[in-house]
Each structure stands twice: as structure tokens, then as C-alpha cells.
Amino acid sequence: MRSTMQDVPLGLGRIMQYGTTAHAEAVVVTATADGTRSRTYGEVGRRAARLANALRRLGVDGDQRVGTFMWNNAEHLEAYLAVPSMGAVLHTINIRLFPEQVTYVVNHAEDTVVIVDASLLTPFAALLPTFETVTHVLVAGPGSESVDLGPLESSGKQVVRYEEALAVEPDSFAWPEIDERDAAAMCYTSGTTGNPKGVVYSHRSAYLHSMSMAMGDNAGIGPSDRVLPVVPMFHANAWGLPYAAVLVGASLVMPDRWLQAEPLVRLIEETRPTLAGGVPTIFNDLLGWVDEHPSDLSSIRLALCGGSAVPLALQQALWERHGVRVQQAWGMTETSPVATSGIPPVGVDEDEAWRYRACQGRVLGGVEARIVGDQAEPLAQDGVAVGELEVRGPWITGAYYRDDDPEKFRDGWLHTGDVGTIDPRGYVTLTDRAKDVIKSGGEWISSVDLENALMAHPDVVEAAVVGIPDEKWQERPLATVVVRPGATVTPEELREHLSGSVAKWQLPDAWTFIEAVPRTSVGKFDKKVLRRAYADGDLDVVRAP
Ligand code: ADP
């Protein structure tokens, strides 16, 4: 028996049209060099229509890819809304990839138009001649009205100022009805190994993911929220926060290029966001700043944090010293990205609740997860059996764009490359990425557990642990530690500190003190760089058993 329900396609156009009319008075506030600028969703809706008309004039009349090379700001939101809603495909280019990787992703996606922030013109101009399919560039944001376009024009591409292009267009557009399975947007993974891989989101997957983001078992976003995505809009769709906010009429606060702790705190104090989303390094930097400079973070009811393991010590410090509740989430570019979220079960006591907050969170409604052993055999979901995490669901990718990777996709499941357990309630605890696990004498040592324990030491700002080759044990942990300025700690003290929570054979026997842990393009610890630095003899290593 078929249902009697109407078969209306889920689409980002619906989110855009609803959010910018029913919630026309909500605002997107963007940080500037000396304060903020603000635009209502009503205006954003009209400007999105102008942008769609302008893109149509530049030849975008089908599923052409429109790239963005932009920070988090109002114009990027306009592109997020206009491009998919007109039937084209938004490709958010990660501006922090290596130059040759940017060239690779733009050519692989076959972008035809790219919208670039005026503040990014210099790096962009150097790359533009390598973009084979790009015919037009739109230059957006403060400064775009006067910036010298010469360096772009010398590439032979047509270059237009965004505001001039919008000014001559009508502020309505005949938004088409789009098949919900068609492509809406695409992101490339940051490519820790080999070339970046493209993930193409459908209208349906983005719509369902937006709804999930707003639900109470996840970020619980509503019209009275002001959402601050610190996570870049060029990485994993800023965790879907922009679409979720527009869908429910929550306002947005965009940090643009001011991502350091000091301007972020200023932005928070001025605009009073209720929800912020970012990787642990962002919140760690923020904590370091607010510990030293009394600041008011009281507007933030929830700090959504993920992208790498969120140390319990960081969560507790933000809660106990600054009243900011951190909620851990797990996901990947391949999973839209949010697939688990860390709200503790109802009825557990405070100690238990912290234990749950330390893990990656509960699998969200709509996503299925399992862990599998070496032969891909499903393991018990008992919180004890350790294996690789696999997921499937309507906002999980089933393939990469024009790129085979049979290792990642098995029997309809995405093989995540993350290692850990799932408990009977669906809480996922990750111990490592498969490639970061330290294999010592046939046993596995979790780099994440060691890092968490190290970062709980009051004088440790950051710590990353990697496996280094060892003749006897195959691999042993090397701890790379960043110490609070002015403090001195010895490996012996840190071993002593760890011995309360870590088995003796797992204690690192090689130590190095560094100024900062190298980070990837999206702010995660870059263990590849650390392993290479060790192999090249660039680290000052102390042996301390
Ligand atoms: P990249 O692979 O380039 O880092 P992604 O952002 O897609 O880009 O990374 C996804 C990976 O980030 C996951 O597979 C996982 O290893 C890690 N990750 C994300 N969230 C968490 C978390 N809460 N705890 C631990 N690891 C996480």
C-alpha cells in the first residue's frame, strides 16, 4: 500500500525560501576589522536571488560547480543559499590546502565560477591561472569595491565585482524545483593521504542533516539562538550550522578571518552568541586567553566541539571556570558531517555524565553505526570490543566523486578508519584513527588516551602522541608536549602524572618539548608532520623510562 502523502522533494531551496521569509528578521552578523556588520535574513534572501541572477548571466544554467574561496561571512552564506537553490552545485574550496591541492580540487570538480573574498585575492591570484575550467571570478566582501583586479585579470578570466554584479539584478528569482537526490554541494576531504577526495551532498542529505542538527538530541537549535560557526564554511559545510540556522530562524554570527582567541572573545562579548562550533584547538586557544583576560562568555549555552577528540580537561575547565558547556560530536566530511553527539543519558550522576561527555557521543537518530574486526566481521556493541567504526545512513556518502576507494565502502557501509567501541546505548568511544594507533609488542596503545591524560596536567597546554619505530616493540609512544609559558615540567613528572590513569607499559618513553603542535589545514594535530620531524631527526628527544 502506498501512502497518501505528497511527494515534495526535500531541498535547500525550501530552507532558503522559508528561512529568509518566515524568519526575515533574523540576522547574519559578520566580524570586520573594527567591529561588525549585519544583514537580515530577508535581505540575504533578496541578495541570494540577485546572486542567482548574476550567476545565470555568467552562464550557470545547470549543475555547473560554483566554487567559493571565502571565510565565514554574509556573502558566503548567500552563496550557500543561492547556488544549490538555483540547481547549481556549491563547491566550498578549502583555502588552507596546499596550493597544488587547491588546483587539483578546482580542476577535479570542474568549477566554472569562483567567488573569492577580496581579503584572499593575493593567494587566489597566484592559483587562478592553474584553474582550467574556471571562466569567471566574482570578488566579494569588504574592500571588493576598490581592490585592484589587475592580478586576477592577467589570468585571462573574466573578473567581476560581486556588489556590482548584484546591483544590476532583480531581487527575485524563479527558483526551480530540484530532484532531492541531485547534487547540492561538494567538499573535498583535507587529504591526509593522497589527493583530496570529493564528497557530493544531495539536497535530501543536506536537508535531513540540517533537521538533525536542530534536534534536541543534537545541538537543539531554535529561533532564539545566535549561532557562531568558528568551524570554517570551507570545511565540511561548517558542520551544517548555516543551513540548520536558516531552517529554524536562528541568527548567525560569522567570524570572517578573525579566528584568533582575542578577536573571537571580542566578537562573543559584542554579539552574545548562544552556540559556538569549532575544533578543540579553537576552544583550547580561547580558554588560554580567557583564563588570562577576564571575559564574558556567559551567552554561550553550548560549545559544539569535534573534528578531533575533545579532551575532558578542556571541557571541565571551560565549564568550571567559565560556565561554558562543551558537547562533543563526531563526524567526517563523508558524514555531512555530524553523526554522533555527546549528550549524556538521562538520569546518570555527574561523574557518569562526565564519562559520557568524554566519549564521542551517541549515534544520532537516522545514522546506523557498528564496529567490525579485521575480517570485517561485526563485533559486539558492548562498550568493550574494539574495532573499526562503520556507519551508514541518509547523510553518509556511498562513494567519492569520480574516485574509486573500495577500501572505504563495503556492503553499503562507510568504513571510517576510526577505531573504538560502541556501547549498548549507542555511545561511541574512539581510541584512535587506525593510522595513528600505536602498535607496541602486539598490543595497541591509544594515542588519544595518552593525550587526554597529558592535557589534564595543569602545566600542559597541548600534547600529541605518535608511534615511533622501535626495534624490540615495533612501535613506542613519543609524547610531544607544549608547556604553559613560564612553567617547567620534566618527563619524569609527566610519567608520574600519567601513571594514575595509564598502564605502565603504555607510558611514553620518548619525550620532546615543542612550541606548538603542528596543525592540519582544519586545525587538527598533524601527526604526519610530527612523525616526519622525528624521522628527520628534527626533534630534540629525551628518553625517559
Ligand atoms: P580529515 O580526514 O582531513 O581530518 P575530516 O574533518 O573529514 O577531515 O576528518 C574526520 C575525522 O576526524 C574522523 O574520521 C575522526 O578521525 C576525526 N574526528 C572527528 N570528530 C572527532 C571526535 N569527536 N573525536 C575524535 N576524532 C574525531
Side-chain angles (χ1 to χ4, degrees), residues 415-492:
H415 197 60
T416 66
D418 288 324
V419 174
T421 63
I422 306 181
D423 80 3
R425 285 162 151 154
Y427 284 86
V428 172
T429 302
L430 295 183
T431 48
D432 247 317
R433 281 185 146 187
K435 56 180 183 283
D436 292 334
V437 166
I438 302 161
K439 299 177 190 87
S440 172
E443 298 283 343
W444 285 6
I445 299 177
S446 159
S447 63
V448 172
D449 285 353
L450 287 172
E451 288 160 6
N452 273 334
L454 281 168
M455 287 190 272
H457 188 284
D459 287 329
V460 174
V461 181
E462 274 179 355
V465 179
V466 294
I468 53 171
D470 184 274
E471 269 186 17
K472 181 161 174 207
W473 301 107
Q474 183 189 356
E475 277 186 344
R476 289 296 301 159
L478 162 72
T480 67
V481 180
V482 181
V483 175
R484 210 166 285 291
T488 40
V489 256
T490 61
E492 288 73 22

Coordinates of all heavy atoms in Angstrom, one line a residue, residues 415-492:
H415 N 33.4 2.8 5.8 CA 34.5 2.4 6.7 C 35.2 3.6 7.1 O 35.9 4.2 6.3 CB 35.4 1.4 5.9 CG 36.2 0.5 6.7 ND1 35.7 -0.3 7.6 CD2 37.6 0.4 6.7 CE1 36.8 -1.0 8.1 NE2 37.9 -0.5 7.6
T416 N 35.1 4.0 8.4 CA 35.6 5.4 8.7 C 37.1 5.5 9.0 O 37.6 6.6 9.0 CB 34.9 5.8 10.0 OG1 35.3 5.0 11.1 CG2 33.4 5.8 9.9
G417 N 37.7 4.4 9.3 CA 39.1 4.5 9.6 C 39.4 4.9 11.1 O 40.5 5.1 11.5
D418 N 38.3 5.0 11.8 CA 38.4 5.3 13.3 C 38.2 4.0 14.1 O 37.4 3.2 13.7 CB 37.3 6.3 13.7 CG 37.6 7.7 13.1 OD1 38.8 8.1 13.1 OD2 36.7 8.4 12.7
V419 N 38.9 3.9 15.2 CA 38.9 2.7 16.0 C 38.3 3.0 17.3 O 38.6 4.0 18.0 CB 40.4 2.2 16.1 CG1 40.4 1.0 17.1 CG2 41.0 1.9 14.8
G420 N 37.4 2.1 17.8 CA 36.9 2.3 19.1 C 35.8 1.3 19.5 O 35.8 0.2 18.9
T421 N 34.9 1.7 20.4 CA 33.8 0.8 20.9 C 32.5 1.5 20.7 O 32.4 2.7 20.6 CB 34.0 0.5 22.4 OG1 33.9 1.7 23.1 CG2 35.4 -0.1 22.7
I422 N 31.4 0.7 20.7 CA 30.1 1.3 20.8 C 29.4 0.6 22.0 O 29.5 -0.6 22.2 CB 29.2 1.0 19.6 CG1 30.0 1.5 18.3 CG2 27.9 1.7 19.7 CD1 29.2 1.3 17.0
D423 N 28.7 1.3 22.9 CA 28.1 0.7 24.0 C 26.6 0.4 23.6 O 26.1 0.8 22.6 CB 28.3 1.5 25.3 CG 27.3 2.6 25.4 OD1 26.5 2.8 24.5 OD2 27.5 3.4 26.4
P424 N 25.9 -0.4 24.5 CA 24.6 -0.8 24.1 C 23.6 0.4 23.9 O 22.6 0.3 23.2 CB 24.1 -1.6 25.3 CG 25.4 -2.1 26.0 CD 26.4 -1.0 25.8
R425 N 23.9 1.6 24.5 CA 23.0 2.7 24.3 C 23.4 3.5 23.0 O 22.8 4.5 22.7 CB 23.2 3.7 25.4 CG 22.5 3.3 26.7 CD 23.1 4.1 27.8 NE 22.1 4.3 28.9 CZ 22.5 4.5 30.2 NH1 23.7 4.5 30.5 NH2 21.5 4.7 31.1
G426 N 24.5 3.0 22.3 CA 24.9 3.7 21.0 C 25.9 4.8 21.2 O 26.2 5.5 20.3
Y427 N 26.6 4.8 22.4 CA 27.6 5.8 22.6 C 28.9 5.3 22.0 O 29.3 4.1 22.3 CB 27.8 6.1 24.1 CG 26.8 7.1 24.6 CD1 25.6 6.6 25.1 CD2 27.0 8.4 24.6 CE1 24.6 7.4 25.5 CE2 26.0 9.3 25.0 CZ 24.8 8.8 25.5 OH 23.8 9.6 26.0
V428 N 29.6 6.1 21.2 CA 30.8 5.7 20.5 C 32.0 6.2 21.3 O 32.0 7.4 21.7 CB 30.8 6.3 19.1 CG1 32.2 6.1 18.4 CG2 29.7 5.7 18.3
T429 N 33.0 5.4 21.6 CA 34.2 5.9 22.2 C 35.3 5.6 21.3 O 35.6 4.4 21.0 CB 34.5 5.2 23.6 OG1 33.3 5.5 24.4 CG2 35.7 5.7 24.2
L430 N 36.0 6.6 20.7 CA 37.1 6.3 19.8 C 38.4 6.3 20.6 O 38.7 7.2 21.4 CB 37.1 7.4 18.7 CG 35.9 7.4 17.8 CD1 36.2 8.5 16.7 CD2 35.7 6.0 17.1
T431 N 39.3 5.3 20.3 CA 40.6 5.3 20.9 C 41.6 5.9 19.9 O 42.7 6.3 20.4 CB 41.0 3.9 21.3 OG1 40.7 3.0 20.2 CG2 40.1 3.4 22.5
D432 N 41.3 5.9 18.7 CA 42.3 6.4 17.7 C 41.7 6.4 16.3 O 40.7 5.8 16.0 CB 43.5 5.5 17.7 CG 44.7 6.2 18.2 OD1 44.9 7.4 17.8 OD2 45.5 5.7 19.0
R433 N 42.5 7.0 15.4 CA 42.4 6.8 14.0 C 43.2 5.5 13.7 O 44.3 5.4 14.3 CB 42.9 7.9 13.2 CG 42.0 9.1 13.1 CD 42.5 10.2 12.2 NE 41.4 10.8 11.5 CZ 41.5 11.7 10.6 NH1 42.7 12.1 10.1 NH2 40.4 12.2 10.0
A434 N 42.8 4.7 12.8 CA 43.5 3.5 12.6 C 45.0 3.8 12.3 O 45.9 3.1 12.8 CB 42.9 2.7 11.4
K435 N 45.2 4.9 11.5 CA 46.6 5.1 11.1 C 47.4 5.7 12.3 O 48.6 5.8 12.2 CB 46.7 6.0 9.9 CG 45.9 7.3 9.9 CD 46.1 8.0 8.6 CE 45.5 9.3 8.6 NZ 44.0 9.3 8.4
D436 N 46.8 6.1 13.4 CA 47.5 6.7 14.5 C 47.7 5.8 15.7 O 48.4 6.1 16.6 CB 46.8 8.0 15.0 CG 46.8 9.1 13.9 OD1 47.8 9.1 13.1 OD2 46.0 10.0 14.0
V437 N 47.0 4.6 15.6 CA 47.2 3.7 16.7 C 48.6 3.3 16.9 O 49.3 3.1 15.9 CB 46.3 2.4 16.4 CG1 46.7 1.3 17.3 CG2 44.9 2.7 16.5
I438 N 49.1 3.2 18.1 CA 50.5 2.8 18.3 C 50.5 1.3 18.6 O 49.9 0.8 19.6 CB 51.1 3.6 19.5 CG1 50.9 5.1 19.2 CG2 52.5 3.2 19.8 CD1 51.0 6.0 20.4
K439 N 51.2 0.6 17.8 CA 51.2 -0.9 18.0 C 52.5 -1.3 18.7 O 53.6 -1.3 18.1 CB 51.2 -1.6 16.6 CG 49.9 -1.2 15.9 CD 49.8 -1.8 14.5 CE 48.6 -1.2 13.8 NZ 48.9 0.1 13.1
S440 N 52.4 -1.6 19.9 CA 53.5 -1.9 20.8 C 53.5 -3.4 21.2 O 52.6 -3.7 22.0 CB 53.5 -1.0 22.0 OG 54.5 -1.3 22.9
G441 N 54.4 -4.2 20.7 CA 54.5 -5.6 21.1 C 53.2 -6.3 21.0 O 52.8 -7.1 21.9
G442 N 52.5 -6.1 19.9 CA 51.3 -6.8 19.6 C 50.1 -6.2 20.3 O 48.9 -6.6 20.1
E443 N 50.3 -5.2 21.1 CA 49.1 -4.6 21.8 C 49.0 -3.2 21.2 O 49.9 -2.6 20.6 CB 49.4 -4.4 23.3 CG 49.6 -5.7 24.1 CD 48.3 -6.4 24.3 OE1 47.2 -5.7 24.2 OE2 48.3 -7.6 24.6
W444 N 47.8 -2.6 21.3 CA 47.5 -1.3 20.8 C 47.6 -0.3 22.0 O 47.0 -0.5 23.0 CB 46.1 -1.2 20.2 CG 46.1 -1.9 18.8 CD1 47.1 -2.6 18.2 CD2 44.9 -1.8 17.9 NE1 46.6 -3.0 17.0 CE2 45.3 -2.6 16.8 CE3 43.7 -1.3 18.0 CZ2 44.5 -2.7 15.7 CZ3 42.8 -1.4 16.9 CH2 43.2 -2.2 15.8
I445 N 48.2 0.8 21.7 CA 48.2 1.9 22.7 C 47.4 3.1 22.0 O 47.7 3.4 20.9 CB 49.6 2.4 23.0 CG1 50.4 1.3 23.7 CG2 49.6 3.6 24.0 CD1 51.9 1.6 24.0
S446 N 46.5 3.6 22.8 CA 45.6 4.7 22.3 C 46.4 6.0 22.4 O 46.6 6.5 23.6 CB 44.3 4.7 23.0 OG 43.7 6.0 22.9
S447 N 46.7 6.7 21.3 CA 47.3 8.0 21.4 C 46.4 9.0 22.0 O 46.8 9.9 22.8 CB 47.8 8.5 20.0 OG 46.7 8.6 19.2
V448 N 45.1 8.8 21.8 CA 44.1 9.8 22.3 C 44.0 9.7 23.8 O 44.0 10.7 24.5 CB 42.7 9.5 21.6 CG1 41.6 10.3 22.3 CG2 42.8 9.7 20.2
D449 N 44.1 8.5 24.4 CA 44.0 8.4 25.8 C 45.2 9.0 26.5 O 45.1 9.7 27.5 CB 44.0 6.9 26.3 CG 42.7 6.2 26.0 OD1 41.7 7.0 25.7 OD2 42.6 5.0 26.2
L450 N 46.4 8.8 25.9 CA 47.6 9.5 26.4 C 47.5 11.0 26.3 O 47.9 11.7 27.3 CB 48.9 9.0 25.7 CG 49.3 7.5 26.0 CD1 50.4 7.1 25.1 CD2 49.7 7.4 27.4
E451 N 47.0 11.5 25.2 CA 46.9 12.9 25.0 C 46.0 13.5 26.0 O 46.2 14.5 26.6 CB 46.5 13.2 23.6 CG 47.5 13.0 22.5 CD 47.0 12.8 21.1 OE1 45.8 13.0 20.9 OE2 47.8 12.4 20.2
N452 N 44.8 12.9 26.2 CA 43.8 13.4 27.2 C 44.4 13.4 28.5 O 44.2 14.4 29.3 CB 42.6 12.4 27.2 CG 41.6 12.8 26.1 OD1 41.6 14.0 25.7 ND2 40.8 11.9 25.7
A453 N 45.1 12.4 28.9 CA 45.7 12.4 30.3 C 46.8 13.4 30.4 O 46.9 14.1 31.4 CB 46.3 11.0 30.6
L454 N 47.6 13.6 29.4 CA 48.7 14.6 29.4 C 48.1 16.0 29.5 O 48.5 16.9 30.3 CB 49.6 14.5 28.2 CG 50.6 13.4 28.2 CD1 51.3 13.3 26.8 CD2 51.7 13.7 29.3
M455 N 47.0 16.2 28.7 CA 46.4 17.6 28.7 C 45.7 17.9 30.0 O 45.3 19.0 30.2 CB 45.6 17.8 27.5 CG 46.5 17.9 26.2 SD 45.6 18.4 24.7 CE 45.1 16.9 24.0
A456 N 45.5 16.9 30.8 CA 44.9 17.1 32.1 C 45.9 17.7 33.1 O 45.5 18.1 34.2 CB 44.2 15.9 32.7
H457 N 47.2 17.7 32.8 CA 48.2 18.2 33.7 C 48.1 19.8 33.6 O 48.1 20.4 32.5 CB 49.6 17.8 33.2 CG 50.7 18.1 34.2 ND1 51.2 19.4 34.3 CD2 51.3 17.4 35.1 CE1 52.1 19.4 35.2 NE2 52.2 18.2 35.7
P458 N 48.1 20.4 34.8 CA 47.9 21.9 34.8 C 48.9 22.7 34.0 O 48.6 23.8 33.5 CB 47.9 22.3 36.2 CG 48.5 21.1 37.0 CD 48.2 19.9 36.1
D459 N 50.1 22.2 33.8 CA 51.1 23.0 33.0 C 51.2 22.6 31.6 O 52.1 23.1 30.8 CB 52.5 22.8 33.7 CG 52.6 23.5 35.0 OD1 51.9 24.6 35.1 OD2 53.2 23.1 35.9
V460 N 50.4 21.7 31.1 CA 50.4 21.2 29.7 C 49.3 22.0 28.9 O 48.2 21.9 29.3 CB 50.3 19.7 29.6 CG1 50.2 19.3 28.1 CG2 51.5 19.0 30.3
V461 N 49.8 22.7 27.9 CA 48.8 23.4 27.0 C 48.3 22.4 26.0 O 47.1 22.3 25.7 CB 49.4 24.6 26.3 CG1 48.4 25.3 25.5 CG2 50.1 25.5 27.3
E462 N 49.2 21.7 25.4 CA 48.8 20.7 24.3 C 49.7 19.6 24.3 O 50.9 19.7 24.7 CB 49.0 21.4 22.9 CG 47.8 22.2 22.5 CD 48.1 22.8 21.1 OE1 49.2 22.7 20.6 OE2 47.2 23.4 20.6
A463 N 49.2 18.4 23.9 CA 50.1 17.3 23.7 C 49.6 16.4 22.6 O 48.4 16.1 22.5 CB 50.2 16.5 25.0
A464 N 50.6 15.9 21.8 CA 50.2 15.0 20.8 C 51.2 13.8 20.9 O 52.4 14.0 21.1 CB 50.3 15.6 19.4
V465 N 50.6 12.6 20.8 CA 51.4 11.4 20.9 C 51.4 10.6 19.6 O 50.4 10.4 19.0 CB 50.9 10.5 22.1 CG1 51.8 9.2 22.2 CG2 50.9 11.3 23.4
V466 N 52.6 10.2 19.1 CA 52.7 9.4 17.9 C 53.5 8.2 18.2 O 54.4 8.2 19.1 CB 53.3 10.2 16.7 CG1 52.4 11.4 16.3 CG2 54.7 10.7 17.1
G467 N 53.3 7.2 17.3 CA 54.1 6.0 17.4 C 55.5 6.2 16.7 O 55.4 6.7 15.6
I468 N 56.6 5.8 17.3 CA 57.8 5.8 16.6 C 58.4 4.4 16.5 O 58.2 3.6 17.4 CB 58.8 6.8 17.2 CG1 59.0 6.5 18.7 CG2 58.4 8.3 17.0 CD1 60.1 7.3 19.4
P469 N 59.2 4.1 15.5 CA 59.7 2.8 15.3 C 60.5 2.3 16.5 O 61.3 3.2 17.1 CB 60.5 2.9 14.0 CG 60.1 4.1 13.4 CD 59.6 5.0 14.4
D470 N 60.4 1.1 16.9 CA 61.2 0.6 18.0 C 61.6 -0.9 17.6 O 60.8 -1.7 17.2 CB 60.3 0.6 19.3 CG 61.1 0.1 20.5 OD1 61.2 -1.1 20.7 OD2 61.7 1.0 21.2
E471 N 62.9 -1.2 17.8 CA 63.4 -2.5 17.4 C 62.7 -3.6 18.1 O 62.4 -4.6 17.6 CB 64.9 -2.5 17.6 CG 65.7 -2.1 16.4 CD 67.1 -2.3 16.5 OE1 67.6 -3.0 17.4 OE2 67.9 -1.6 15.7
K472 N 62.6 -3.4 19.4 CA 62.1 -4.5 20.2 C 60.5 -4.6 20.2 O 60.0 -5.7 20.0 CB 62.5 -4.3 21.7 CG 62.1 -5.4 22.6 CD 62.9 -5.3 23.9 CE 62.4 -6.3 24.9 NZ 62.7 -5.9 26.2
W473 N 59.9 -3.4 20.3 CA 58.4 -3.4 20.4 C 57.7 -3.1 19.2 O 56.5 -3.0 19.2 CB 58.0 -2.5 21.6 CG 58.6 -2.8 22.9 CD1 59.6 -2.1 23.5 CD2 58.3 -3.9 23.7 NE1 59.9 -2.7 24.7 CE2 59.1 -3.8 24.9 CE3 57.3 -4.9 23.6 CZ2 59.1 -4.7 25.9 CZ3 57.3 -5.9 24.7 CH2 58.1 -5.8 25.8
Q474 N 58.4 -2.9 18.1 CA 57.8 -2.4 16.8 C 57.5 -0.9 16.8 O 58.0 -0.2 16.0 CB 56.5 -3.2 16.5 CG 55.9 -2.9 15.1 CD 54.5 -3.5 14.9 OE1 54.1 -4.3 15.8 NE2 53.9 -3.3 13.8
E475 N 56.7 -0.5 17.8 CA 56.5 1.0 17.9 C 56.4 1.3 19.4 O 55.9 0.5 20.2 CB 55.1 1.4 17.3 CG 55.2 1.6 15.8 CD 53.9 2.2 15.3 OE1 52.8 2.1 15.9 OE2 53.9 2.6 14.1
R476 N 56.8 2.5 19.8 CA 56.6 3.0 21.1 C 56.1 4.4 21.0 O 56.3 5.1 20.0 CB 57.9 3.0 21.9 CG 58.4 1.6 22.3 CD 57.5 0.9 23.2 NE 57.3 1.6 24.5 CZ 56.3 1.4 25.3 NH1 55.3 0.5 25.0 NH2 56.2 2.1 26.4
P477 N 55.4 4.9 22.1 CA 54.8 6.3 22.0 C 55.9 7.3 22.2 O 56.7 7.2 23.2 CB 53.8 6.3 23.2 CG 54.0 5.1 24.0 CD 54.9 4.1 23.2
L478 N 55.8 8.4 21.4 CA 56.6 9.6 21.6 C 55.6 10.7 22.0 O 54.7 10.9 21.2 CB 57.3 10.0 20.3 CG 57.9 11.4 20.2 CD1 59.1 11.6 21.1 CD2 58.2 11.8 18.8
A479 N 55.8 11.3 23.1 CA 55.0 12.4 23.6 C 55.6 13.7 23.2 O 56.7 14.0 23.5 CB 54.7 12.3 25.1
T480 N 54.8 14.5 22.4 CA 55.3 15.8 22.1 C 54.4 16.8 22.9 O 53.2 16.7 22.8 CB 55.2 16.1 20.6 OG1 53.8 16.1 20.2 CG2 55.9 15.1 19.8
V481 N 55.1 17.6 23.7 CA 54.3 18.4 24.7 C 54.6 19.9 24.6 O 55.7 20.3 24.4 CB 54.8 17.9 26.1 CG1 54.0 18.6 27.2 CG2 54.5 16.4 26.2
V482 N 53.5 20.7 24.7 CA 53.6 22.1 24.7 C 53.3 22.5 26.2 O 52.2 22.2 26.7 CB 52.6 22.8 23.8 CG1 52.8 24.3 23.8 CG2 52.8 22.3 22.4
V483 N 54.3 23.2 26.8 CA 54.1 23.6 28.2 C 53.7 25.0 28.3 O 54.1 25.9 27.5 CB 55.5 23.3 29.0 CG1 55.4 23.8 30.4 CG2 55.8 21.8 28.9
R484 N 52.9 25.3 29.4 CA 52.4 26.7 29.6 C 53.6 27.6 29.7 O 54.6 27.2 30.4 CB 51.7 26.7 31.0 CG 50.6 27.7 31.1 CD 49.7 27.4 32.2 NE 48.8 26.3 32.0 CZ 47.8 26.3 31.1 NH1 47.5 27.4 30.4 NH2 47.0 25.2 30.9
P485 N 53.6 28.8 29.2 CA 54.7 29.7 29.2 C 55.1 30.0 30.7 O 54.3 30.2 31.6 CB 54.2 31.0 28.6 CG 53.0 30.6 27.8 CD 52.4 29.4 28.4
G486 N 56.4 29.9 30.9 CA 56.9 30.1 32.3 C 57.0 28.9 33.1 O 57.7 28.9 34.1
A487 N 56.3 27.8 32.8 CA 56.3 26.6 33.6 C 57.4 25.7 33.1 O 57.8 25.7 31.9 CB 55.0 25.9 33.5
T488 N 57.9 24.8 34.0 CA 58.8 23.8 33.6 C 58.3 22.4 34.1 O 58.0 22.4 35.3 CB 60.3 24.0 34.1 OG1 60.2 24.4 35.5 CG2 61.1 24.9 33.3
V489 N 58.3 21.5 33.3 CA 57.9 20.1 33.7 C 58.9 19.2 33.1 O 59.4 19.4 32.0 CB 56.5 19.7 33.2 CG1 55.5 19.7 34.4 CG2 56.0 20.5 32.1
T490 N 59.2 18.1 33.8 CA 60.1 17.1 33.3 C 59.3 15.9 32.8 O 58.2 15.6 33.3 CB 61.1 16.7 34.4 OG1 60.3 16.1 35.4 CG2 61.9 17.8 34.9
P491 N 60.0 15.1 31.9 CA 59.3 13.8 31.5 C 59.0 12.9 32.8 O 57.9 12.3 32.8 CB 60.4 13.1 30.7 CG 61.2 14.3 30.1 CD 61.2 15.3 31.2
E492 N 59.9 13.0 33.8 CA 59.6 12.1 35.0 C 58.3 12.5 35.6 O 57.5 11.7 36.0 CB 60.8 12.2 36.0 CG 62.1 11.5 35.5 CD 62.8 12.3 34.4 OE1 62.6 13.5 34.2 OE2 63.6 11.6 33.7

